[in-house]
Amino acid sequence: MEEGKYNPLMKLLFKKLKVLLRDLAGVNVVLSFRKGPEGKVDEIKSILWDGAFASQIKVENRAENDLWFLIEKTGAIFLSGKLLLMPQNSIEEAMAKDDFNESMVDAQREICNMITGAIGDALREKVDKTLHLILGETFTVDPANTSFLPDQEYISYTANVKAAGPVTFSMALIVGDKLAQAILKDSTIGETPEEEETEKAGAGLEKKPGS
């Protein structure tokens, strides 16, 4: 699979996610992305971070289990706390204690719904205007249990997010091969000068996911 062909689409997608995260957090956000691992499930286990919040994204009439979005637990706690309008010191305490309570889980599901909308906007803009994305099941990741991923080939993209505070966490987008090939076939993806400038501005800010 030639993941490089997806870069223009991913630039747009992560640009939209950056705006969403900035507005949600209410602080400046720096986001840099890169291609992640590819292959069968065993070969992408490095981004199935323990305790990460995962969301299934269904592509109506196209795919049920081919698109997944993950946020590291620290990021899930931080963003959920922001959505719940928790005081900053309470958010920091929750992150320090690794406390992801029921209210935060509900808030994170709403955030995943927003993320699904942003991904859908990018796909409709660059791939197919009729695509409709639906948030499916959400859960915390147990690296020992990968049964939620069908046995197929995958490509992935990971992002490092830095928010004023400072808060740093990783996110990942996992795409099944069949859906990835369909996206490439139907897309009219192409880079714009603005997207190229955005990518250059984020250069050098990446870190190894989960580090």
Side-chain angles (χ1 to χ4, degrees), residues 4 6 15 23 40 53 57 63 67 78 83 86 110-111 146-147 160 165-166 168 174 176 179:
Y6 299 95
K15 182 178 179 181
D23 293 346
K40 293 283 191 176
F53 198 88
I57 301 177
L67 188 59
F78 172 72
L83 184 64
M86 291 170 55
E110 179 57 32
I111 291 168
T146 60
S147 60
N160 178 41
T168 303
I174 300 172
L179 179 60

Side-chain angles (χ1 to χ4, degrees), residues 176-187:
D177 180 50
K178 291 180 181 178
L179 179 60
Q181 295 298 335
I183 287 173
L184 189 61
K185 178 181 177 182
D186 295 345
S187 70

Side-chain angles (χ1 to χ4, degrees), residues 94-131:
M95 288 191 294
K97 293 182 177 180
D98 210 22
D99 180 18
F100 194 41
N101 60 43
E102 187 173 341
S103 295
M104 288 182 168
V105 171
D106 290 340
Q108 186 58 41
R109 180 172 173 82
E110 179 57 32
I111 291 168
C112 288
N113 199 41
M114 298 177 192
I115 289 171
T116 298
I119 294 173
D121 288 344
L123 290 176
R124 282 188 292 274
E125 185 173 332
K126 288 291 188 182
V127 181
D128 183 343
K129 295 183 184 298
T130 67
L131 286 179

